Amino acid sequence: MILWQTLRFAVGGLAANKVRSALTMLGVLIGVASVILLLAVGNGSSVAVKDSITSLGTNSLTVSSGSAAGGARAASSVKKLTVADAKALATDAGASTAIKSVAPVVTTSGTALYGNVSYSPGSIVGTYPAYFETANQKVVKGEYFTDDDVLGSRKVAVLGATTAKQLFDTEDPVGKRIVLGGTPFTVVGVLQAKGGSGFTDPDDVVIAPLPTVQNAFTGFGAVNQILVQAASADTTTAAQSEITRVLLAAHAIADPGKADFRITNQASLLTARESTTKTFTVLLGAVAAISLLVGGIGITNIMLVTVTERTREIGIRKALGAPRAVILGQFLTESTLLSVIGAGLGVAAGMAGSHFSIVGIKPVIIPESVLGAFGIAVAIGLFFGSYPANRAASLRPIDALRHE
Amino acid sequence: MRHVIDKRVPETPVPVIRIRRLTKSYGHGDATVHALRGPDDPETGEPQGVGLDIEQGDFVAVMGSSGSGKSTLMNILGCLDVPTSGRYLLDGVDVGHLDEQQLSLVRNRKIGFVFQSFNLIPRTTALAQVELPLAYAGVRAAERRRRALAALSLVGLGERAGHKPNELSGGQQQRVAVARALVTAPAMLLADEPTGNLDSRSTEEVLALIDGLNATGRTVVLITHEDEVARHAKRVLRLVDGQIVSDLRQAPVDGPPPALHDLGVPA
């Protein structure tokens, strides 16, 4: 009964100064909405990174040439990776359970022509069919090129989604002929779009058999990378030591510390990037928390004004026998109501705002942040309201009544 | 309906108000101002304090010019302020030993206030105003409403229960304040210049109301500086510089107030 009465008085008190109450709520609203939204943006970017980890294939390992020890060795003494290295690994893969498949990769660039359309794809990749599975590239139209195509150095190519769109627009590219660096290629397949998360578009590629690309562009020398697929995510470490062992033997290096190649694990690389986005999320959250705090101070400010303005009313209530707890309760209810309504609207605004893409990132709401922001806002209302409410409750009735 | 308001406290030998050697001073040292001092002690020259008994059913007017200490006395009697020294027994209870929580209970149950400036709560209907002291007393909503409506109709404002203070005239506002003061059936009605802000017609209405309440046995203490108003009281106290200088009885405690007596209303 008293509770209901208190709530009614609180609503009445807020309604008496609509603009003031609305502006105070706006402060809380902005605080809560920004906490939810900024955390959602941070979370969205980390979700995007996670997605790209899975799209890259979590089991893939990349072997590239270069010294792990840094610039101590002269570049000339570094033995480049060759197709022979890949073959050594592939031979070993037959005996080992850790390595599933091996694909040497050369990367180059050039201009593709189709009819009178000219386009420079992001990269032209020469490799083996195993590459598709290892790099998690799926063909949606047409088919993959085969081992026979590699053995026969056939002039066939699989296009990335972006490249296909640029060259053919709405036309079906499969079976069409394009000219790459003066060599005609037949398009046999189009890859499924992966969607980009970083600065490079993974769909902007042309993939062709390794010897064909070597013949047309790079020559039959070194390869850029060897892509190795581990049997499963658990065997990546075993696969990594397997690769090290085989390549050290192939390059005749006794000391593992002097290895002239590097093995990078895509997943661990992206985990590092994910931790960066976590820091980013925490920073965003901190900024938002400050605005929530400012909203709370706004409540204190307005409640202090309200208490001063209604000192006389407090005196009347005390003269009528209102106990201290009732006065305290009334002003606390008022400040909490401000924060609850403000936070509620803030949650709504945050939810609505997260439907829009912000600086290229699709926000993903963290459910805990919604509950947390709402809870903290309400707690802030109680905490920041308690000082003015306490001041009201401790007024001596005679002083309050005499207040003009 | 009337029994709610007209609840006579059983006859007791204890006076409603008993104050002994009561003083109230402000400031310290040389700057001390004695708002209530009583007669000075002939030997030490220190103030001895005010002593006063008010009987159940009495109608006392406290008169004095401004600064005479009558408002200070009223605030102490109403438990809004605490005396510097001395004892104050309200309805037999020494209020000097009560804490803030108990004092609010005393104000709620034993005292009904009527102020010069009405002191209604803004933006609140007359009914809610009158319900307020009952709400603080923890009375159930239905009972509260019934008693508040009864009190409002007693002051002749039954029709205006839904009006807010800014929709009522001064006299009507003061009548709402009277209804609010009597709705808890307090031991004493404390009125601080209740007609000070009213025109003569409203003054008559409000005074008639107070006369009527006293005639039904309610103890009334009324502060005023107008002789016209004091004429309604059974007993008139004059305060000068914090001392009671005269104590005049105009009518017996157990009779009707003089204004009603003159009209020929039987005791």
Side-chain angles (χ1 to χ4, degrees):
Chain A
M1 175 214 77
I2 277 285
L3 201 78
W4 173 238
Q5 187 87 357
T6 309
L7 206 61
R8 259 183 45 200
F9 276 129
V11 172
L14 295 185
N17 279 295
K18 290 193 187 68
V19 174
R20 208 162 71 184
S21 304
L23 287 175
T24 313
M25 283 176 198
L26 189 66
V28 182
L29 186 155
I30 290 171
V32 169
S34 61
V35 164
I36 293 174
L37 209 55
L38 291 185
L39 286 180
V41 167
N43 188 39
S45 73
S46 105
V47 164
V49 169
K50 261 186 210 149
D51 286 348
S52 64
I53 290 176
T54 32
S55 76
L56 265 168
T58 43
N59 304 349
S60 69
L61 295 164
T62 308
V63 185
S64 46
S65 65
S67 167
R73 284 153 168 265
S76 58
S77 70
V78 175
K79 196 166 183 284
K80 300 277 189 194
L81 290 168
T82 59
V83 178
D85 290 330
K87 287 201 169 124
L89 284 172
T91 316
D92 183 73
S96 154
T97 49
I99 297 172
K100 195 176 168 195
S101 63
V102 179
V105 177
V106 291
T107 313
T108 185
S109 58
T111 308
L113 291 166
Y114 171 70
N116 55 1
V117 184
S118 167
Y119 176 68
S120 294
S123 59
I124 298 167
V125 173
T127 187
Y128 288 176
Y131 175 86
F132 293 105
E133 194 194 340
T134 311
N136 201 22
Q137 297 275 28
K138 292 187 185 72
V139 160
V140 282
K141 243 186 249 172
E143 53 198 46
Y144 304 97
F145 58 78
T146 62
D147 287 331
D148 283 348
D149 293 327
V150 175
L151 288 172
S153 292
R154 286 191 196 123
K155 296 184 179 70
V156 291
V158 173
L159 302 185
T162 306
T163 314
K165 174 106 178 63
Q166 293 291 340
L167 280 176
F168 294 95
D169 198 15
T170 53
E171 234 178 302
D172 182 5
V174 178
K176 301 279 174 8
R177 289 170 82 84
I178 58 169
V179 177
L180 269 180
T183 313
F185 280 78
T186 307
V187 177
V188 293
V190 177
L191 295 170
Q192 185 179 33
K194 284 176 139 185
S197 60
F199 298 105
T200 52
D201 181 357
D203 298 326
D204 194 11
V205 290
V206 174
I207 302 171
L210 178 70
T212 319
V213 175
Q214 282 179 319
N215 192 21
F217 296 96
T218 60
F220 293 89
V223 296
N224 296 75
Q225 297 176 325
I226 302 174
L227 207 59
V228 179
Q229 188 180 24
S232 74
D234 301 329
T235 59
T236 46
T237 319
Q240 197 159 341
S241 52
E242 193 73 27
I243 296 162
T244 311
R245 190 179 60 75
V246 171
L247 287 184
L248 283 177
H251 291 194
I253 297 165
D255 182 5
K258 288 178 181 166
D260 56 0
F261 53 89
R262 278 178 313 200
I263 306 169
T264 43
N265 183 338
Q266 293 285 7
S268 68
L269 204 74
L270 287 168
T271 313
R273 247 178 81 187
E274 199 193 343
S275 77
T276 317
T277 64
K278 279 226 174 79
T279 315
F280 173 61
T281 308
V282 168
L283 276 176
L284 286 178
V287 171
I290 290 170
S291 75
L292 192 56
L293 189 75
V294 171
I297 294 170
I299 292 184
T300 315
N301 197 4
I302 233 56
M303 288 312 293
L304 279 176
V305 171
T306 305
V307 167
T308 312
E309 202 178 69
R310 286 168 39 192
T311 301
R312 201 176 164 82
E313 182 193 319
I314 295 164
I316 301 168
R317 288 178 186 273
K318 287 205 156 188
L320 295 180
R324 188 191 146 80
V326 169
I327 303 284
L328 192 73
Q330 188 186 335
F331 285 93
L332 265 188
T333 311
E334 225 166 278
S335 65
T336 310
L337 211 60
L338 275 176
S339 65
V340 165
I341 298 174
L345 293 173
V347 166
M351 297 275 213
S354 70
H355 284 96
F356 303 97
S357 169
I358 297 160
V359 289
I361 299 165
K362 179 95 191 80
V364 177
I365 284 184
I366 312 172
E368 290 89 345
S369 80
V370 176
L371 286 177
F374 187 84
I376 288 170
V378 173
I380 275 179
L382 270 173
F383 178 76
F384 284 98
S386 66
Y387 169 60
N390 205 38
R391 211 160 100 164
S394 339
L395 281 171
R396 286 172 62 223
I398 184 67
D399 295 337
L401 269 176
R402 277 191 191 138
H403 189 268
E404 284 307 318
Chain B
M1 209 145 141
R2 240 180 161 198
H3 69 278
V4 179
I5 311 303
D6 184 13
K7 195 162 71 183
R8 287 172 196 246
V9 182
E11 210 63 38
T12 51
V14 190
V16 175
I17 288 172
R18 166 163 287 176
I19 56 179
R20 288 291 179 270
R21 303 180 62 86
L22 197 77
T23 65
K24 177 73 187 178
S25 52
Y26 300 97
H28 300 281
D30 290 342
T32 307
V33 176
H34 292 280
L36 279 178
R37 56 188 299 146
D40 287 341
D41 191 305
E43 285 164 27
T44 61
E46 288 295 303
Q48 276 184 320
V50 177
L52 176 68
D53 277 358
I54 294 174
E55 299 298 322
Q56 173 68 44
D58 208 347
F59 185 168
V60 181
V62 179
M63 295 195 67
S65 55
S66 66
S68 62
K70 60 184 195 305
S71 282
T72 304
L73 182 64
M74 146 100 182
N75 290 333
I76 291 171
L77 290 183
C79 297
L80 294 173
D81 206 352
V82 285
T84 308
S85 69
R87 267 156 61 84
Y88 170 28
L89 280 81
L90 175 64
D91 231 11
V93 180
D94 189 344
V95 297
H97 298 305
L98 302 181
D99 62 21
E100 175 62 32
Q101 185 68 30
Q102 290 164 316
L103 279 178
S104 68
L105 213 65
V106 165
R107 286 196 291 268
N108 186 248
R109 306 288 161 84
K110 298 207 184 277
I111 303 161
F113 288 99
V114 179
F115 298 96
Q116 177 176 5
S117 48
F118 319 140
N119 276 352
L120 297 181
I121 291 168
R123 304 178 304 273
T124 308
T125 63
L127 182 66
Q129 305 267 3
V130 180
E131 278 189 12
L132 206 55
L134 295 173
Y136 292 143
V139 177
R140 281 185 307 105
E143 170 76 359
R144 215 160 64 199
R145 193 180 163 78
R146 194 180 63 75
R147 282 168 69 172
L149 281 172
L152 276 175
S153 53
L154 188 78
V155 300
L157 288 174
E159 305 297 309
R160 305 215 165 235
H163 290 238
K164 291 178 181 165
N166 55 0
E167 299 161 352
L168 296 169
S169 74
Q172 286 169 333
Q173 287 189 51
Q174 194 62 301
R175 273 145 68 194
V176 171
V178 171
R180 186 178 68 181
L182 58 84
V183 74
T184 51
M188 162 174 74
L189 195 69
L190 214 49
D192 186 3
E193 308 225 20
T195 58
N197 285 2
L198 298 179
D199 58 46
S200 58
R201 204 173 123 251
S202 300
T203 298
E204 284 309 314
E205 281 173 5
V206 169
L207 285 176
L209 214 56
I210 294 173
D211 284 338
L213 287 170
N214 181 245
T216 57
R218 183 84 56 233
T219 311
V220 178
V221 178
L222 183 144
I223 289 176
T224 185
H225 59 262
E226 290 172 67
D227 291 329
E228 291 295 315
V229 177
R231 204 163 292 154
H232 287 256
K234 295 173 184 171
R235 182 182 173 193
V236 179
L237 298 174
R238 278 181 197 279
L239 255 70
V240 174
D241 294 339
Q243 293 188 48
I244 297 172
V245 293
S246 86
D247 185 348
L248 178 74
R249 180 153 295 286
Q250 303 188 133
V253 174
D254 49 3
L260 295 187
H261 189 74
D262 295 345
L263 293 171
V265 178

